[in-house]
């Protein structure tokens, strides 16, 4: 039978140009493979753009940890800044909610913390290498990040510190005076702080992803901007159907974040993916009263961080459909609280909304699809995707090349759900 295929060909096609997809594409290119990276938008324009820019060494405790149970009564009011939820979504996705809550036990915390510690450690090492290689080193700040409590929450801070210490992650417990010395421009609203000293941050996560993408094209990779319609098994490889043509490849990496499950459904995969929607807004800074690092207000349930264009304030989690209309209730709730900490001016631009893909155990899928050779899954990195992207992508490239990832990827195997 004649082969009438006239589209492009590559060893690997990576679908999704967020931090995970760009990382997978670059790591595969480093291995000498021909790689095409495909997305409907420019690299770093979706979920990877809107985060708080933290390269967090200490994000080893998933949201569904044992402390969730004590917080649940206040969350059920559906008025808390940390969590809003759509009742209709919750009923339709009751199975996901039950599985998510079932993971919030002491026995399930340590294995997941260990898995995340390995992933995060490998990723931060890559970030620090790549950001220099990508000529974006001016964007990184090695100033740590501060979690702060308005109440006298020394017990909670010590408990958090103990878990970090268990994994060799350094932190410093701070009182009101030490916080003021660290951040002289903020008002003295916090009584207790925990400084994550080994954490870095960047002044524009979207710009960092774009810098990594330029590094990928500079190494001989190709980026194609197009809508992705389908992936179809094709002999010993794959056919990627785009709005404006097709690409054939031996290996396909699905790194589409919250859109990944849709693409996999026609292949028979039912991915239990939920969406932690989040919002941010940026404000004109007062140059005389600048923040030195990101601050997480533990009780206010928001994060504020100095960015290239101003102070970015990010709100808590909204559990609803990925494409439901925006609700700025949480952002409206926390912006006045942030103004009570640091002085900033009027808003710059419109509020932003994104959807962070989350699986019931709060661990991403990193590895081969169980029933299709040459199909690789890399998504579900919940709210720490920017931190964990490089190691997630590098692990996939290693597996494609038949070598071991730079961390234990076993706990992230897609086969645990598919």
């Amino acid at each position: 039978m004649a082969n009438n295929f006239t589209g492009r060909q590559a060893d690997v096609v990576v679908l999704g140009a967020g931090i995970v997809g760009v990382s997978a594409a670059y790591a595969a290119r480093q291995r000498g493979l021909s790689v095409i990276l495909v997305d409907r938008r420019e690299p770093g324009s979706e979920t990877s753009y809107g985060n708080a820019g933290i390269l967090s060494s200490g994000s080893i405790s998933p949201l569904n940890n044992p402390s969730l149970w004590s917080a649940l009564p206040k969350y059920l009011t559906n008025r808390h800044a940390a969590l809003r939820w759509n009742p209709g979504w919750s009923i339709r996705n009751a199975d996901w909610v039950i599985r998510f809550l079932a993971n919030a036990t002491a026995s399930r915390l340590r294995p997941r913390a260990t898995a995340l510690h390995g992933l995060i450690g490998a990723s931060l090492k890559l970030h620090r290498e790549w950001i220099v290689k990508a000529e974006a080193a001016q964007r990184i700040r090695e100033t740590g990040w501060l979690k702060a409590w308005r109440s006298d929450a020394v017990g909670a801070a010590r408990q958090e510190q103990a878990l970090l210490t268990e994994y060799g992650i350094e932190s410093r417990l701070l009182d009101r005076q030490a916080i003021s010395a660290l951040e002289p421009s903020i008002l003295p609203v916090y009584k207790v702080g925990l400084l994550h000293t080994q954490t870095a941050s960047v002044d524009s996560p979207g710009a960092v992803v774009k810098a990594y993408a330029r590094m990928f094209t500079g190494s001989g990779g190709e980026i194609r901007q197009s809508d992705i319609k389908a992936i179809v098994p094709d002999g010993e490889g794959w056919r990627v159907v785009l709005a404006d043509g097709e690409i054939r490849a031996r290996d396909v990496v699905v790194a589409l974040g919250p859109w990944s499950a849709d693409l996999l459904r026609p292949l028979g995969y039912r991915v239990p993916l939920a969406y932690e929607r989040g919002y941010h807004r940026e404000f004109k800074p007062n140059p005389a009263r600048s923040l030195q690092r990101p601050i997480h207000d533990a009780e206010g349930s928001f994060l504020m961080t100095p960015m290239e264009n101003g102070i970015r304030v990010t709100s808590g989690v909204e559990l609803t459909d990925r494409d439901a209309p925006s609700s700025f209730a949480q952002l409206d709730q926390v912006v006045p609280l942030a103004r009570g900490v640091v002085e900033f001016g009027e808003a710059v631009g419109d509020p932003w909304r994104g959807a962070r893909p989350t699986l019931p155990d709060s661990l991403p899928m990193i590895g081969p699809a169980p029933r299709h050779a040459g199909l690789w899954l890399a998504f579900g990195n919940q709210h720490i995707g920017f931190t964990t992207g490089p190691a997630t992508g590098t692990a996939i490239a290693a597996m494609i090349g038949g070598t071991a990832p730079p961390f234990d990827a076993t706990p992230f195997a897609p086969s645990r759900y598919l």
Side-chain angles (χ1 to χ4, degrees), residues 221-239:
E222 180 185 335
I223 296 177
R224 183 155 169 184
Q225 206 170 317
S226 180
D227 277 324
I228 301 156
K229 298 298 185 184
I231 48 174
V232 183
D234 185 46
E236 293 186 359
W238 290 87
R239 198 160 43 87

Side-chain angles (χ1 to χ4, degrees), residues 83-404:
L83 177 67
R84 296 292 177 98
W85 46 279
N86 176 333
W89 178 91
S90 304
I91 292 166
R92 288 193 306 277
N93 294 275
D95 180 58
W96 184 92
V97 174
I98 290 165
R99 291 161 90 174
F100 185 80
L101 291 173
N103 276 289
T105 62
S107 64
R108 292 287 296 128
L109 174 60
R110 287 297 185 287
R112 291 181 297 150
T114 300
L116 288 172
H117 180 51
L119 173 62
I120 289 168
S123 218
L124 296 189
K125 186 170 180 288
L126 288 165
H127 262 302
R128 288 182 168 107
E129 288 174 11
W130 289 3
I131 206 162
V132 173
K133 200 183 286 189
E135 298 181 348
Q138 77 281 3
R139 296 197 175 277
I140 192 169
R141 303 169 295 222
E142 295 285 356
T143 51
W145 80 296
L146 178 66
K147 184 171 183 177
W149 289 262
R150 294 166 185 254
S151 66
D152 191 13
V154 178
R158 286 194 189 283
Q159 189 176 355
E160 202 162 302
Q161 187 177 39
L163 180 66
L164 298 177
T165 302
E166 194 178 314
Y167 288 91
I169 301 164
E170 293 175 12
S171 62
R172 273 174 35 216
L173 200 62
L174 307 177
D175 60 14
R176 193 194 295 271
Q177 287 72 28
I179 293 170
S180 293
L182 196 70
E183 288 285 353
S185 294
I186 69 171
L187 293 169
V189 298
Y190 300 120
K191 292 182 179 177
V192 179
L194 190 64
L195 179 67
H196 292 235
T197 55
Q198 294 171 312
T199 285
S201 61
V202 302
D203 69 358
S204 174
V208 169
V209 176
K210 284 176 168 55
Y212 292 173
R214 286 193 297 273
M215 188 168 66
F216 163 66
T217 55
S219 70
E222 180 185 335
I223 296 177
R224 183 155 169 184
Q225 206 170 317
S226 180
D227 277 324
I228 301 156
K229 298 298 185 184
I231 48 174
V232 183
D234 185 46
E236 293 186 359
W238 290 87
R239 198 160 43 87
V240 179
V241 183
L242 306 176
D244 59 354
E246 296 185 348
I247 310 171
R248 182 175 284 169
R250 187 192 65 214
D251 293 282
V252 171
V253 181
V254 177
L256 286 165
W259 297 277
S260 299
D262 293 350
L263 192 70
L264 293 168
R265 196 170 293 116
L267 295 171
Y269 294 107
R270 298 288 180 268
V271 182
L273 202 62
Y275 312 101
E276 289 182 47
R277 297 214 314 183
Y279 298 82
H280 86 232
R281 193 150 204 194
E282 291 186 345
F283 300 87
K284 281 185 181 173
N286 177 348
R289 297 199 172 277
S290 57
L291 282 179
Q292 303 304 306
R293 58 188 54 74
I295 298 177
H296 174 201
D297 188 309
E299 288 137 336
S301 303
F302 66 90
L303 206 142
M304 51 191 171
T305 186
M307 288 288 184
E308 184 176 44
N309 297 323
I311 301 288
R312 179 176 290 186
V313 179
T314 67
S315 61
V317 169
E318 180 192 26
L319 285 176
T320 188
D321 295 306
R322 183 191 62 207
D323 301 322
S326 296
S327 166
F328 299 112
Q330 285 161 291
L331 206 51
D332 292 343
Q333 198 172 351
V334 300
V335 167
L337 290 173
R339 286 192 184 278
V341 179
V342 68
E343 188 181 317
F344 51 78
E346 62 191 33
V348 180
D350 296 322
W352 177 91
R353 185 195 88 210
R356 295 158 294 201
T358 303
L359 292 151
D361 60 3
S362 292
L363 301 181
M365 281 190 184
I366 307 173
R371 296 186 299 280
H372 292 85
L375 178 59
W376 305 88
L377 311 184
F379 57 84
N381 297 61
Q382 30 110 357
H383 62 286
I384 55 171
F386 186 66
T387 292
T388 55
T392 300
T394 298
I396 291 290
M399 292 177 195
I400 290 173
T403 60

Side-chain angles (χ1 to χ4, degrees), residues 46-98:
E46 294 279 6
T47 316
S48 293
Y49 163 80
N51 60 79
I54 298 172
L55 305 177
S56 175
S57 62
S59 294
I60 59 171
S61 181
L63 287 180
N64 50 345
N65 63 62
S67 70
L68 178 62
W69 293 105
S70 59
L72 216 49
K74 65 186 178 188
Y75 293 160
L76 289 174
T77 66
N78 212 6
R79 291 180 184 154
H80 201 278
L83 177 67
R84 296 292 177 98
W85 46 279
N86 176 333
W89 178 91
S90 304
I91 292 166
R92 288 193 306 277
N93 294 275
D95 180 58
W96 184 92
V97 174
I98 290 165

Side-chain angles (χ1 to χ4, degrees), residues 1-5:
M1 186 174 169
N3 184 351
N4 297 319
F5 180 77

